[in-house]
Amino acid sequence: MKIQSGVPQGSILGPILFLIYINDIAYSCPDLNIDLYADDSTLFRSDTNLLEIETNLQTNLDNISKWCNINNMALHPKKTKSMFCFQIIIFTFLSRL
């Protein structure tokens, strides 16, 4: 089988070259935190406004999609998950009698 692009699977250089190849993905989303690990990435954003977080993440996902198209990479929507973490603060007022 002729390899048209990439590095043969199992190569020692494969993971290193892949990380170098995708290292600039963070520049496509300067206002977002991105963690990269092997071929996985995590995008995260913190804010007090849920709509702001959603809008920002969608904008940055669009930017990453453009980056992927330019760099001949593919996103896998079925592997994509989202999670919202929040804290509920309950104030209890005690009255002194």
Side-chain angles (χ1 to χ4, degrees):
M1 175 183 280
K2 182 179 176 186
I3 298 173
Q4 296 188 9
S5 67
V7 177
Q9 191 162 358
S11 166
I12 294 172
L13 279 177
I16 295 169
L17 293 175
F18 180 76
L19 289 174
I20 291 169
Y21 187 71
I22 67 162
N23 194 45
D24 69 334
I25 195 169
Y27 295 119
S28 67
C29 306
D31 59 336
L32 191 68
N33 296 312
I34 299 178
D35 285 341
L36 299 173
Y37 180 77
D39 63 345
D40 291 326
S41 58
T42 302
L43 313 174
F44 56 98
R45 173 71 191 247
S46 176
D47 201 313
T48 56
N49 184 337
L50 184 59
L51 182 60
E52 180 69 28
I53 293 171
E54 184 180 22
T55 302
N56 184 274
L57 286 175
Q58 185 59 56
T59 299
N60 285 288
L61 281 172
D62 293 342
N63 291 341
I64 288 174
S65 179
K66 290 175 190 173
W67 181 93
C68 287
N69 288 333
I70 291 168
N71 290 283
N72 297 317
M73 300 289 286
L75 292 175
H76 297 282
K78 290 183 179 181
K79 292 183 176 182
T80 303
K81 307 287 183 221
S82 64
M83 178 174 66
F84 290 99
C85 298
F86 56 92
Q87 179 180 12
I88 298 176
I89 301 174
I90 299 173
F91 293 99
T92 305
F93 296 99
L94 299 174
S95 61
R96 294 184 182 186
L97 297 175

